[in-house]
């Protein structure tokens, strides 16, 4: 049988397509870094001798840390996030703490912190999941396509970014817009909870499943949870919270805009602005 010819080496275009498909959509530095050449992580292995088997361990070995200092263990990071968030007396102090917080690995890959936008005195606060590419570039939440729709949703209840407050559960863009890990969410939760406590809105609107599940401690999917009022304990008082669809989801499934309109009307009613809306 004729030997199978190996695939030809991919050209640059094919490699780029491969990276794009894998979620790589921006360069982190001008020069490529060969992390496997780092002597700390790539100790040469003698080829002629068999590699001795490590003694059995109770826990699997941790994956190698590619660069920089070792991040704190997740439990440690969650505890230090709680402590840091608890001690922030103001939104400015909370933002400053987050700028320096190194317990979440997303900070290292994001371009900048995306803290919040809008009016900290607002009576309504909208919370999404995590910034995307446009937000990472601008440093403001919801400025891309879904942000434009969120602006229209907010305008539909007679408000705008000067009268509403907008933030995310995760304040750094996950690389390639991947879903944040449960650990990343747990590490960032104390900060968004403190942010909600400091803004102290009358109504909290959670946008989409991840934000709803993380903030309202429910495992219910958004199809069930949307439009149902819940209590949210800010730490200083109990406010009303309403889950609704994430604008990115509405862009993909416009037929759900009708339900989201019902949710927004309920928010307007709770704020007492419903009469100002046209029917
Ligand atoms: N999606 C989010 O959840 N948040 C943003 O800021 C942008 C898109």
């Amino acid at each position: 049988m004729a030997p199978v010819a190996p695939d030809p080496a991919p050209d640059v275009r094919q490699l780029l397509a491969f990276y794009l498909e894998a979620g790589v959509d921006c360069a982190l530095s001008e020069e490529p870094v060969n992390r496997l050449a780092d002597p700390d992580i790539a100790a040469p292995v003698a080829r002629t001798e068999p590699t001795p088997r490590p003694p059995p361990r109770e826990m699997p070995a941790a994956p190698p840390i590619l660069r920089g200092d070792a991040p704190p263990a997740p439990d440690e990071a969650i505890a230090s996030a709680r402590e840091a968030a608890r001690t922030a007396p103001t939104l400015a102090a909370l933002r400053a703490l987050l700028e320096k917080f190194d317990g979440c690995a997303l900070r290292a890959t994001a371009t900048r912190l995306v803290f919040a936008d809008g009016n900290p005195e607002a009576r309504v606060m909208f919370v999404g999941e995590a910034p995307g590419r446009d937000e990472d570039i601008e440093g403001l939440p919801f400025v891309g396509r879904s942000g434009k729709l969120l602006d229209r949703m907010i305008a539909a209840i007679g408000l705008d970014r000067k009268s509403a407050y907008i933030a995310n559960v995760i304040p750094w863009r996950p690389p390639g817009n991947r879903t944040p890990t449960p650990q990343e969410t747990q590490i960032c939760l104390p900060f968004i909870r403190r942010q909600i406590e400091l803004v102290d809105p009358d109504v909290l609107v959670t946008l989409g499943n991840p934000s709803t599940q993380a903030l309202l401690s429910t495992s219910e999917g958004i199809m069930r949870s949307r439009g149902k009022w819940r209590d949210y304990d800010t730490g200083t008082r109990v406010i009303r919270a309403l889950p609704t669809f994430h604008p990115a989801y509405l862009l993909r499934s416009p037929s759900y805009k009708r339900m989201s309109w019902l949710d927004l009307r309920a928010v307007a009613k709770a704020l007492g602005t419903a009469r100002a809306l046209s029917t």
Side-chain angles (χ1 to χ4, degrees):
M1 210 164 93
V4 179
D7 287 342
D11 61 23
V12 173
R13 193 180 291 271
Q14 288 167 321
L15 270 178
L16 277 177
F18 167 79
Y19 283 128
L20 265 179
E21 198 155 300
V24 179
D25 61 0
C26 66
L28 292 180
S29 69
E30 291 296 318
E31 296 295 324
V33 180
N34 182 358
R35 297 181 197 281
L36 296 176
D38 183 338
D40 288 346
I41 61 164
V45 176
R47 287 183 180 245
T48 46
E49 287 169 27
T51 314
R53 274 179 176 272
R57 307 165 64 120
E58 297 219 333
M59 297 288 289
I65 286 141
L66 292 182
R67 215 178 182 194
D69 296 333
D75 286 353
E76 219 177 284
I78 295 168
S80 81
R82 280 201 190 122
E83 183 56 23
R86 199 177 57 79
T87 56
T90 60
L91 287 171
L94 187 66
R95 177 197 280 260
L97 271 173
L98 267 169
E99 294 279 8
K100 284 190 294 178
F101 182 73
D102 61 5
C104 180
L106 293 176
R107 176 175 170 246
T109 49
T111 310
R112 68 192 88 250
L113 174 75
V114 178
F115 185 69
D117 195 17
N119 185 347
E121 308 273 302
R123 291 185 57 217
V124 58
M125 176 165 176
F126 293 83
V127 182
E129 180 185 20
R133 185 168 178 275
D134 297 313
E135 290 76 20
D136 182 62
I137 292 169
E138 286 203 33
L140 290 171
F142 284 99
V143 290
R145 267 188 81 218
S146 55
K148 302 282 173 278
L149 178 54
L150 180 61
D151 285 345
R152 294 211 301 276
M153 290 161 69
I154 294 175
I157 53 170
L159 302 174
D160 59 18
R161 287 194 187 225
K162 293 197 191 84
S163 47
Y165 189 84
I166 304 169
N168 283 304
V169 171
I170 309 268
W172 296 282
R173 181 199 184 198
N177 292 352
R178 68 160 169 75
T179 303
T181 64
Q183 240 164 43
E184 288 159 354
T185 302
Q186 287 308 311
I187 292 169
C188 294
L189 255 181
F191 293 107
I192 184 65
R193 286 202 188 282
R194 180 70 176 147
Q195 207 174 337
I196 297 169
E197 184 181 358
L198 289 167
V199 174
D200 195 24
D202 291 333
V203 172
L204 172 70
V205 181
T206 54
L207 298 166
N209 232 352
S211 162
T212 301
Q213 293 188 339
L215 288 171
L216 303 181
S217 310
T218 173
S219 54
E220 234 177 29
I222 194 70
M223 287 293 169
R224 280 181 172 276
S225 60
R226 67 141 282 275
K228 285 197 251 166
W229 286 101
R230 310 206 174 216
D231 285 345
Y232 177 88
D233 190 346
T234 67
T236 30
R237 70 175 177 133
V238 175
I239 61 169
R240 303 181 76 194
L242 192 73
T244 192
F245 294 118
H246 192 287
Y249 180 73
L250 295 175
L251 286 173
R252 292 194 300 274
S253 312
S255 58
Y256 288 102
K257 284 185 182 169
R258 201 177 52 82
M259 288 186 194
S260 126
W261 169 239
L262 295 178
D263 300 343
L264 289 166
R265 282 198 63 90
V267 170
K269 195 167 170 212
L271 292 171
T273 55
R275 253 177 299 127
L277 299 178
S278 57
T279 49

